Amino acid sequence: MATPDFDTARLPAPALWGLTAMLAVTGCGMSDEVGEVEPVNFKSVDELFEAVDRHLECPEDTSGDYAFDAGEEHGLLSGRRCAESIVMAYSDNEVVIEEIQDRMATAQDGALPMVHDATWFVVDITEVAGSDLELAHPASRDLEALATALRTDYTEL
């Protein structure tokens, strides 16, 4: 079926003005790159834990603190865990977060699913925790869905 020719020269001037205004308005406020969205920002590991808990439903009796080794220069960083298999950290020092991620990537023996941003990350350590252990898990371990909800990246180390 042939499509009719659309000739803007035959449109009345008010219609053209309206079309131009509509295009200008719909273009305002859009980011330069399609799909560019700011990730959720956190101010503490407790705020991060609350967001993770909302999406994964962390069992209260097996969730708690977790410590990360950030190297000699930075020492230990206090983090949190969601059950025994999901761990997370926050630091306003991006170098500390990067150092911990590097250490985890080189020390693990298995897949390490991760949701992350420059100042925080959430990792599922089930595969590297040992197959002999029976771990308590949150209601969901879907980190890809968590990444979508937090508007950030999902990767595997």
Side-chain angles (χ1 to χ4, degrees), residues 82-152:
C82 171
E84 296 170 343
S85 59
I86 307 291
V87 295
M88 63 203 77
Y90 165 86
S91 175
D92 53 3
N93 185 343
E94 294 177 19
V95 173
V96 169
I97 294 299
E98 195 172 299
E99 177 66 29
I100 294 169
Q101 289 174 344
D102 289 345
R103 287 173 169 274
M104 291 175 73
T106 58
Q108 51 89 14
D109 184 30
L112 201 59
M114 175 183 285
V115 174
H116 61 94
D117 193 42
T119 59
W120 59 268
F121 64 83
V122 178
V123 178
D124 184 346
I125 61 169
T126 302
E127 299 301 318
V128 300
S131 59
D132 297 342
L133 301 174
E134 180 142 348
L135 299 175
H137 294 294
S140 171
R141 291 177 40 219
D142 188 353
L143 292 192
E144 291 182 73
L146 179 65
T148 300
L150 300 180
R151 300 186 305 264
T152 194

Side-chain angles (χ1 to χ4, degrees), residues 39-103:
V40 175
N41 290 317
F42 300 103
K43 295 178 183 164
S44 71
V45 73
D46 293 327
E47 280 186 14
L48 174 60
F49 176 81
E50 289 172 14
V52 171
D53 187 26
R54 273 192 306 275
H55 294 283
L56 302 184
E57 298 178 29
C58 304
E60 191 174 325
D61 60 330
T62 58
S63 298
D65 296 329
Y66 195 88
F68 292 92
D69 181 2
E72 287 183 32
E73 185 178 338
H74 303 289
L76 291 177
L77 177 68
S78 294
R80 296 281 305 262
R81 61 187 168 86
C82 171
E84 296 170 343
S85 59
I86 307 291
V87 295
M88 63 203 77
Y90 165 86
S91 175
D92 53 3
N93 185 343
E94 294 177 19
V95 173
V96 169
I97 294 299
E98 195 172 299
E99 177 66 29
I100 294 169
Q101 289 174 344
D102 289 345
R103 287 173 169 274

Side-chain angles (χ1 to χ4, degrees), residues 6-28:
F6 187 71
D7 184 9
T8 56
R10 294 188 342 197
L11 287 175
L16 279 176
W17 296 331
L19 180 62
T20 303
M22 182 182 73
L23 290 173
V25 168
T26 57
C28 291

